[in-house]
Amino acid sequence: MKYVLVTGGVVSGLGKGVTASSIGLLLKACGLRVTSIKIDPYLNTDAGTMSPFEHGEVFVLDDGGEVDLDLGNYERFLDIKLTRDNNITTGKIYQSVLDSERKGDYLGKTVQVVPHITDAIQKWIERVALIPVDGKEGPADVCVIELGGTIGDIESMPFIEALGQFSYHVGPGNFCLIHVSLVPVLNVVGEQKTKPTQHSVRGLRGLGLTPNILACRSTKALEDNVKAKLSQFCHVAAENILTLYDVPNIWHIPLLLRDQKAHEAILKELNLIGVTREPDLQEWTARTRVYDILHEPVRIAMVGKYTGLSDSYLSVLKALLHASVACWRKLVVEWVAAGDLEDVTAKEAPDVYKNAWDLLKGSDGVLVPGGFGDRGVQGKILAAKYARENKVPFLGVCLGMQIAVIEFARSVLGLHDANSTEFDPETSHPCVIFMPEGSKTHMGGTMRLGSRRTYFKVPNCKSAKLYNNDSFVDERHRHRYEVNPNMVQQFENAGLSFVGRDETGQRMEIIELPSHPYFVGAQFHPEFKSRPGKPSALFLGLIAAASGQLDAVLQNYGHASKLLPNGIGNGKPTVKTYQNGNAIKSSNGSLNGVYSNGNGAHH
Ligand code: GLN
């Protein structure tokens, strides 16, 4: 096993996660099998309890692990399936050491950060690197490890010490350290400043780690004299200094790295020259070009709780993007704060109310994403009602599907107080109820998490076709509540079809309104398994319906590829993802200012 460690210096939010994923992709393109580990030096055991508002979305894995959103980047770029153990946190490491201590495993010794915590970190890395994640047997060739936070953070010290020992232990030729840093440009003359990187590399060395490669974020390519200076002061060969300059979208990063021969530098450090092939990024390049030249917009209203915070719904945005690129449409996300659609807003802030409704009505499709808590529920219900009544394409994800069911119960079945018991435990028409998989009395651990199977009950429905007419599909879940199975007949009699269910037939997984062009809800989160070249079926359905291509996609059993004109254009890369007409500004300024890596907690 060979290891590539990616660290970050100077400031947080440099796009370390995207860089690490891109390096993984580049190595994969050279024919290597790649896995990855993300280290988050915070004390939480996992991301399950962390607010998406503060830390970006909670990404869910097949095994039910609730992890940092960077693992989503790895899964998407490398098309792999990670496990919960691929996300190491300080909390997990300490918990394992403390458990061992209680069992008496340390034979009466004083338990210390060095060597016990640092040994536990190294053993964890070695163990997890061996887990196959690409569907093939046996371990990968290379494990990309991303250390969250910035060099110098107190909380990452035990990890730095452990990784220093680890690099010594696996030996030269098996370990390559890539340090991602910032080269700011000051004043109007536009001078590229190397001092922050010099300091950061000095800090790294002081902690026992030697960088093999520098990846410098800057607005433009580094000038030769700047590279020479960095090389001299940081003791890194000039050909091992890469520039991550600003690009129109993150799919360019692997191409940027390839063009600078990053793979050659890495393969040399890892003693793999001659073992691998030239990187094959043909398909990736073609898709990136398509993304660049898209101009015909598809407007999707995102009716959510956190608006304007792209990290909070990162996977949903990525899934929308993958589907849009497959349909040759430029994604325009209209953020609609659910609360702004409500009657109270009409009274308190009429302008805000009008603006929210204008955005909703100006959209080609409506998406209500997942969520917890009752804030904005009424607004989401109004959005679902609007989409249902006006035949506007609609996709409800998890809470979004529950919302669609509540709306249908109220408007069509006439059950005015119908609700989820999550929001109104006393409702006389509980159409969404708490249905734990385990014991009803057992507190905690009641969330239905990770991959579960959905069987299609109606073979020719839209969702089945979108899923390639397969008889079942495995998707990821993260919820406690479910549609009340006792009310399903009543709904179906009124025209709401429960086309996908679990193996018992008791849990409703996919809803559809056959009389509507595209009105679909899923209890699971299809966004977590969407990939750039393999858009998630239900998202593809939404975008295809919103751009007048659904029939063609359905005839093609959920594949948009035949829609693509032959020969990909070579227009200039000028396209950005837009929200409400403005280019998305990432909350912590990651790579291209489009999406960030969500490490806002490590400043
Ligand atoms: N709050 C809802 C539930 O627990 C929906 C969860 C979600 O959207 N992820 O079932």
Side-chain angles (χ1 to χ4, degrees), residues 385 388 405-419 427-429 431 487 490-491 494:
K385 183 177 167 72
R388 184 179 57 77
V405 169
I406 297 169
E407 192 281 313
F408 194 88
R410 290 185 187 177
S411 305
V412 181
L413 302 183
L415 309 173
H416 299 297
D417 81 331
N419 214 333
T427 172
S428 46
H429 296 102
C431 55
M487 290 178 73
Q490 212 180 337
F491 281 114

Side-chain angles (χ1 to χ4, degrees), residues 114-134:
V114 183
H116 300 102
I117 294 292
T118 46
D119 280 354
I121 294 168
Q122 294 179 69
K123 284 201 189 110
W124 191 298
I125 292 173
E126 280 193 315
R127 173 175 64 83
V128 173
L130 296 177
I131 302 173
V133 294
D134 55 2

Side-chain angles (χ1 to χ4, degrees), residues 369-373 397-400 402 422-423 432 447 478-482 523 525:
F372 294 83
V397 173
C398 202
L399 177 65
Q402 298 171 0
E422 181 180 6
F423 312 128
V432 178
M447 190 97 89
R478 184 173 186 246
H479 65 113
R480 284 195 183 85
Y481 295 81
E482 316 252 357
Q523 188 54 76
H525 291 267

Side-chain angles (χ1 to χ4, degrees), residues 347-426:
K347 288 189 205 96
E348 286 167 8
D351 290 352
V352 174
Y353 176 81
K354 182 177 179 304
N355 187 38
W357 276 100
D358 284 351
L359 282 178
L360 186 68
K361 290 183 177 167
S363 300
D364 306 311
V366 177
L367 192 142
V368 179
F372 294 83
D374 60 1
R375 207 174 95 201
V377 162
Q378 184 53 28
K380 291 176 192 170
I381 289 176
L382 291 169
K385 183 177 167 72
Y386 164 80
R388 184 179 57 77
E389 291 180 344
N390 294 283
K391 304 231 181 277
V392 178
F394 172 89
L395 177 61
V397 173
C398 202
L399 177 65
M401 157 173 153
Q402 298 171 0
I403 291 283
V405 169
I406 297 169
E407 192 281 313
F408 194 88
R410 290 185 187 177
S411 305
V412 181
L413 302 183
L415 309 173
H416 299 297
D417 81 331
N419 214 333
S420 163
T421 54
E422 181 180 6
F423 312 128
D424 178 7
E426 305 305 326

Side-chain angles (χ1 to χ4, degrees), residues 517-543:
Y518 191 79
F519 193 94
V520 174
Q523 188 54 76
F524 48 80
H525 291 267
E527 67 270 24
F528 292 134
K529 284 171 79 173
S530 188
R531 304 279 188 266
K534 298 181 202 159
S536 165
L538 300 183
F539 281 84
L540 183 64
L542 175 71
I543 298 292

Side-chain angles (χ1 to χ4, degrees), residues 287-301:
R287 205 166 32 243
T288 305
R289 288 222 190 113
V290 171
Y291 184 2
D292 287 344
I293 60 166
L294 298 177
H295 53 89
E296 209 175 315
V298 58
R299 290 175 199 284
I300 301 297

